[in-house]
Amino acid sequence: QVTLVESGGGLVQTGGSLRLSCVVSGSINSILRLGWFRQAPGKQREWVAWIHRGGAMDYVDSVKGRFTISRDNAKSTVFLQMNNLKPEDTAVYYCSGRPERWPIESDYWGQGTQVIVSS
């Protein structure tokens, strides 16, 4: 059993920065990749970034050069450093983990943390 708990959201002005954290508890070694999704009001949830077990990282084009995903294995935590934030980054951000046995086992999800970027 794996649980994900996000923190770090808030209200920030355009051009500002936030760092989201996601603490992973449970069998972290059974997770192939950890990442972040976001869902803006009235829109579908979209993938933002992954960090794979081996360390490789992927980003959606809209955040490349502004967001950085990282992990601290000792603390079982994955981070999303968000710089130069824009109003279109406003969304609920969700931490997600893909298990080794996917799709037999479903993806893990956190409860979400709200990010609001004011113009």
Side-chain angles (χ1 to χ4, degrees), residues 38 46-50 57-69 80-84 86 89:
R38 65 186 180 186
E46 69 166 348
W47 164 72
V48 175
W50 284 121
M57 294 168 283
D58 299 302
Y59 300 92
V60 67
D61 285 347
S62 60
V63 308
K64 285 180 180 177
R66 300 189 299 121
F67 290 11
T68 302
I69 190 170
L80 186 67
Q81 177 67 43
M82 305 186 294
N83 298 328
N84 190 22
K86 304 175 181 181
D89 295 318

Side-chain angles (χ1 to χ4, degrees), residues 15-27:
S17 298
L18 284 173
R19 189 175 82 155
L20 306 183
S21 300
C22 172
V23 177
V24 183
S25 60
S27 182

Side-chain angles (χ1 to χ4, degrees), residues 25-58:
S25 60
S27 182
I28 190 172
N29 291 328
S30 68
I31 299 175
L32 285 177
R33 60 188 186 193
L34 287 163
W36 295 91
F37 286 70
R38 65 186 180 186
Q39 187 166 17
K43 295 187 178 181
Q44 290 188 333
R45 189 174 297 188
E46 69 166 348
W47 164 72
V48 175
W50 284 121
I51 184 164
H52 298 264
R53 190 158 57 188
M57 294 168 283
D58 299 302

Side-chain angles (χ1 to χ4, degrees), residues 89-110:
D89 295 318
T90 294
V92 178
Y93 283 71
Y94 297 90
C95 182
S96 180
R98 173 143 295 176
E100 288 181 323
R101 300 184 67 210
W102 183 87
I104 296 174
E105 293 184 5
S106 300
D107 287 333
Y108 306 115
W109 293 95

